[in-house]
């Protein structure tokens, strides 16, 4: 795998850079369709936004690390923060399911859409609680995935 | 990343037009401006998304907040001009069922709902 690592201050103004790096890393593999790269850009933006907000909650000065690994059939992106662990991530949405837009009180949920979007847009995602932080791994497969397996 | 926010009156509506990417870095500016507009008595707001080329859940959250705040003051939010790429995020979270997209600001003010979306130049056909 070819790895690209980006380390950023935990500030919102670096989100655009995160998205640019992820899109550029994915575009190295020419079989990725533009809409899948866009899916990945949004999913990674969600993970990085959660990380930045977690750092802000703790007033942490530590940095957020983004690792992009481009494989033959996939791109994996891991966003690692030092923002306090899994509890706040899981509190974002109880099960990561997309909320019903017609449910009573739907508009009370102006937050909490990040995890459902990540789940929907990435082919795989998992969230790992670290010691004092969280790692979110997002995977998008190329159209070639599994074709010769 | 450049971000701009244009605000102008059109008929009885105030048009709020962000230009750039709508994410955690840009939404405080938009939120602050709209909160001020509502505090000043504006009740009818068109959010013109034609110049927005990226939105994530933070941006979606902003739209929900604006709609709630306007509704609490007896007002109304209409959404105009989203590209297909931006509108697909609204569709993913189901908010297209709460607010129809209007193709342009003029359509939003007239209450004409879009039948086809604005083509998204950034999205190649499959």
């Amino acid at each position: 795998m070819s790895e690209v690592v980006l380390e950023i201050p935990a500030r919102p103004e670096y989100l655009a850079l995160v998205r640019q790096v992820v899109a550029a890393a994915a575009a190295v593999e020419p079989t990725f369709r533009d809409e899948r790269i866009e899916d990945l850009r949004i999913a990674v933006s969600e993970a990085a936004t959660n990380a930045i907000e977690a750092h802000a909650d703790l007033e942490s000065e530590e940095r957020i690390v983004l690792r992009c690994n481009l494989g033959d059939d996939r791109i994996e992106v891991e966003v690692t923060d030092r923002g306090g662990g899994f509890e706040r991530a899981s509190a974002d949405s109880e099960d990561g399911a997309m909320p019903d837009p017609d449910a009573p009180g739907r508009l009370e949920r102006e937050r909490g859409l990040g995890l459902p979007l990540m789940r929907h847009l990435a082919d795989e995602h998992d969230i790992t609680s670290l010691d004092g932080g969280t790692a979110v791994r997002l995977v998008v497969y190329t159209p070639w995935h599994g074709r010769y397996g | 990343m450049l971000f701009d926010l244009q605000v102008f009156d059109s008929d009885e509506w105030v048009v709020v037009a962000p230009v750039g990417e709508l994410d955690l870095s840009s939404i405080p500016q938009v939120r602050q401006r709209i909160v001020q507009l509502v505090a000043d008595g504006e009740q009818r707001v068109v959010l013109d998304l034609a110049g927005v080329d990226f939105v994530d859940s933070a941006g979606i959250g902003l739209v929900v907040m604006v709609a709630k705040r306007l509704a609490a003051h007896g007002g109304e939010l209409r959404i105009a001009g989203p590209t297909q790429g931006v509108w697909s995020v609204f569709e993913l979270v189901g908010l297209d069922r709460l607010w129809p997209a209007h193709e342009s600001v003029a359509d939003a003010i007239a209450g004409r709902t879009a039948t086809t979306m604005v083509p998204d130049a950034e999205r190649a056909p499959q």
Side-chain angles (χ1 to χ4, degrees), chain A residues 12 15-16 19-20 34-35 38 41-42 45-46 49 53 98 101-102 106-107 110 113-114 117 120-121, chain B residues 1 21 23-25 54 56-57 60-61 64-65 68 89 92-95 97-99 122-124 126:
Chain A
L15 282 169
R19 292 192 293 267
Q20 286 172 353
D34 287 350
E35 58 266 33
E38 187 62 16
R41 264 184 7 117
I42 297 171
S45 193
E46 299 295 346
T49 296
E53 291 190 317
M98 200 68 81
D102 297 324
R106 170 65 184 83
L107 290 185
E110 61 186 69
L113 291 170
L117 276 176
H120 191 89
L121 294 169
Chain B
M1 185 60 61
E21 299 185 319
D23 67 6
L24 193 65
S25 69
F54 177 87
D56 60 15
S57 70
I60 296 285
V64 173
M65 183 282 291
K68 285 165 58 178
V89 183
L92 269 179
V93 300
L95 290 183
R97 289 148 66 182
L98 295 179
W99 301 296
E122 288 189 3
R123 290 215 160 196
Q126 292 191 30

Side-chain angles (χ1 to χ4, degrees), chain B residues 29-109:
Chain B
Q29 182 183 347
V30 184
R31 182 196 296 121
Q32 184 180 18
R33 188 65 187 269
I34 292 178
V35 165
Q36 187 59 52
L37 287 169
V38 175
D40 290 344
E42 297 287 354
Q43 289 190 312
R44 301 205 281 185
V45 173
V46 175
L47 185 61
D48 181 6
L49 296 180
V52 172
D53 49 20
F54 177 87
V55 69
D56 60 15
S57 70
I60 296 285
L62 167 75
V63 175
V64 173
M65 183 282 291
V66 170
K68 285 165 58 178
R69 186 168 286 257
L70 282 167
H73 288 77
E76 183 182 357
L77 173 72
R78 292 183 183 172
I79 296 175
T83 63
Q84 183 64 58
V86 164
W87 194 242
S88 67
V89 183
F90 282 79
E91 291 172 335
L92 269 179
V93 300
L95 290 183
D96 59 311
R97 289 148 66 182
L98 295 179
W99 301 296
H102 303 276
E103 195 165 325
S104 66
V105 169
D107 284 345
I109 290 171

Side-chain angles (χ1 to χ4, degrees), chain A residues 66-79:
Chain A
L66 179 90
R67 295 178 188 280
C68 305
N69 279 294
L70 190 62
D72 290 339
D73 65 346
R74 74 187 67 186
I75 183 167
E76 290 188 19
V77 180
E78 186 180 67
V79 179

Side-chain angles (χ1 to χ4, degrees), chain A residues 90-148:
Chain A
S90 60
D92 198 9
S93 172
E94 287 184 7
D95 56 4
M98 200 68 81
D100 179 359
D102 297 324
R106 170 65 184 83
L107 290 185
E108 298 307 312
R109 294 191 58 163
E110 61 186 69
R111 306 295 300 271
L113 291 170
L115 277 180
L117 276 176
M118 276 191 274
R119 167 175 282 190
H120 191 89
L121 294 169
D123 293 323
E124 290 178 21
H125 86 287
D126 53 63
I127 301 172
T128 308
S129 185
L130 309 172
D131 182 19
T134 301
V136 177
R137 190 180 68 97
L138 301 158
V139 181
V140 169
Y141 289 109
T142 69
W144 300 103
H145 171 69
R147 189 158 298 185
Y148 302 110

